[in-house]
Amino acid sequence: MTKTWWKSSIVYQIYPRSFKDTTGNGIGDLYGIIEKLDYIQSLGVDIIWLCPVYESPNDDNGYDISDYRKISEEFGGDVAFDQLLAEMHKRGLKLMMDLVANHSSDEHPWFQQAKKGKDNPYHDYYIWKAGSPDTPPNNWQSVFNGSTWEWNAETEEYYLHLYTRKQPDLNWENPQLRKEIYAIIDFWFAKGVDGFRMDVISLISKRTEYKDVPKDMSFIDVMEKVYANGPKIHTYLKEMNQEVLSKYDIVTVGEGPGVNLEHGPRYVSDQEKELNMVFHFDHLTLDFGPDGKYDPVPVDFIRFKAIFSQWDEALGTTGWNSIFLGNHDFSRIVSRFGNDGEYREKSAKLLATVLMTLKGTPYIYQGDEIGMTNVSHDHIDAYDDVETRNAWAAAEAAGKDMDQFLKAVHWQSRDNARTPLQWSDAKNAGFSQHTPWIPVNENYAQINVDAAEKDPNSILHYYRKIIALRKAHPTLIYGEYKDLLPADPHLYCYKRWDQEATFLVIHNFSDTPTNWKLTEENHSLIQSNYSEVLATELSPWESRIYSLD
Ligand code: GLC
């Protein structure tokens, strides 16, 4: 196992719109991040992953880019960005940007040109198919509902968009387009950026026959077998690596919808020379029911554990995992995998321990370090996210039970993770002087950074402790991993070991006390989220780390 800085680093993810507003327009900005850099540094993290901050009409909050080389004025523009990067580097923090290269905005000059005529030089930067206005080329459905094909009257063709119609897919078959993307990456590396998270990178190579999807195929299968892992994906990633990534000492993590155990190792193993890590979604789609994300079923805990073990094994010693439980596209981790009521504090600490003791680079999403929770608005109008709103409209059109659907929205909406960061109990949670672009979670008076700073027993202080613990013990970073109780319905118990040390980590993922006794004789308890530790029982959501001799 080779050791490198990005393996031993911890990443903190920022969703800039919701982090901190300094200009008083209700939208977070880069000056807000600069203001909070000392706070971020105090956690002990090494890298900040910044969700997209480029110019964008914001149909999908920045995941629709209209200028890849310009920072949006809304966020403070290029001046604020240069200042942020300098301030971060001064503190030894690295910056990972978000590259959205599967699609651009329809307002990008390339698309504005492309749609004008078939002989326009930019036409081939996108994916077009002949047809008539009432018959799309195939039955593909967008991730955000509706056909993936949009009619362009000017050329009498359809263009492909796997996401919204304002996010036309780029044509990676075109070598000139690929060069443009590599030049963009190079532009940011030359500026001093330390890495990229690559948005839906598994989707860039299309199955160009554009065959219909079988009617009964689940969304997860469509992703894996139809949209992702296309025939040229590894050719493109190798080319990107050779042309630009390999020239810098940077970190890459590819977002990989549809990347499963079978495909994962090829994206990240050392020999392949493509990416450093991927985000797979095997554990985050466990609650998708027969009708997908908004038809949720309970998380199967045994499968949840098995997924971590199987990925660990599949990546072996030549690949490296990313450890995350949520981000800006999923619910709050304490609401989804913990208990955000009675055991919020305990379960948030347990989840922090999971993040910091599994093998792989841990990713913390903003606000999870204070145990922020989901929201449950009683009206769809309080939701902003294009995915949630489109899913709602589709459910209404299909005549679904909308009270039931609202419950699914409470559980699954991406807006759960996008409410403003709760800094204090001041108006608007101290996020902004102005009404925020999205409502704050009503619980901000109790759950906020100020309160957490003052409480020595807070989730925030626990994060600092557990981060420091991981850093103090390379075994927790590089050591081997084995699940010792894979079939237990409540306990997740694993060992991490190498020549230096052996650790046993045990978590009780449940609201009930659970019998358990340590059998190893020589041990010392080095961390727990309870002050009193019982000899034969784990309390609800208890988490412990032992060092074994
Ligand atoms: C990724 C992003 C998500 C976005 C989508 C389309 O999944 O994380 O926020 O909507 O790609 O770009």
Side-chain angles (χ1 to χ4, degrees), residues 512-527:
T512 46
T514 306
N515 290 335
W516 180 79
K517 194 170 176 326
L518 187 64
T519 46
E520 279 83 353
E521 273 185 6
N522 298 321
H523 62 257
S524 50
L525 180 71
I526 60 165
Q527 185 66 43

Side-chain angles (χ1 to χ4, degrees), residues 60 63 100 103 144 163 167 197 199-200 255 327-329 414 418:
D60 186 18
Y63 283 95
V100 189
H103 44 267
F144 294 159
Y163 291 85
Q167 294 169 299
R197 175 264 189 186
D199 191 65
V200 295
E255 192 202 17
N327 59 33
H328 64 294
D329 291 330
R414 306 197 297 181
R418 298 178 179 187

Side-chain angles (χ1 to χ4, degrees), residues 6 234 238 241 263-278 314-320:
W6 49 265
H234 298 293
K238 283 189 171 65
N241 188 297
H263 304 278
R266 281 199 67 186
Y267 284 82
V268 299
S269 86
D270 291 346
Q271 301 92 303
E272 299 289 343
K273 298 200 168 28
E274 295 184 9
L275 300 173
N276 297 144
M277 295 173 265
V278 284
L315 296 181
T317 51
T318 63
W320 190 250

Side-chain angles (χ1 to χ4, degrees), residues 348-378:
K349 289 176 178 176
L350 176 148
L351 295 171
T353 317
V354 171
L355 289 172
M356 294 306 145
T357 56
L358 286 173
K359 189 162 107 202
T361 296
Y363 290 75
I364 302 168
Y365 179 66
Q366 69 179 41
D368 284 343
E369 77 277 16
I370 56 165
M372 280 178 62
T373 67
N374 282 355
V375 280
S376 308
H377 302 303
D378 51 18

Side-chain angles (χ1 to χ4, degrees), residues 54-65:
Y54 316 93
E55 259 191 15
S56 162
N58 287 311
D59 189 47
D60 186 18
N61 290 352
Y63 283 95
D64 47 321
I65 298 173

Side-chain angles (χ1 to χ4, degrees), residues 13 15 49 51-52 59-64 98-103 143-144 162-164 167 197-201 203 223 255-257 279 281 327-330 385-387 414 418:
Q13 183 194 349
Y15 195 69
W49 154 23
C51 284
D59 189 47
D60 186 18
N61 290 352
Y63 283 95
D64 47 321
D98 211 318
L99 177 77
V100 189
N102 174 68
H103 44 267
V143 177
F144 294 159
L162 293 179
Y163 291 85
T164 76
Q167 294 169 299
R197 175 264 189 186
M198 298 187 184
D199 191 65
V200 295
I201 200 71
L203 309 186
M223 253 309 167
E255 192 202 17
F279 292 126
F281 295 106
N327 59 33
H328 64 294
D329 291 330
F330 295 92
D385 176 30
V386 64
E387 184 211 63
R414 306 197 297 181
R418 298 178 179 187

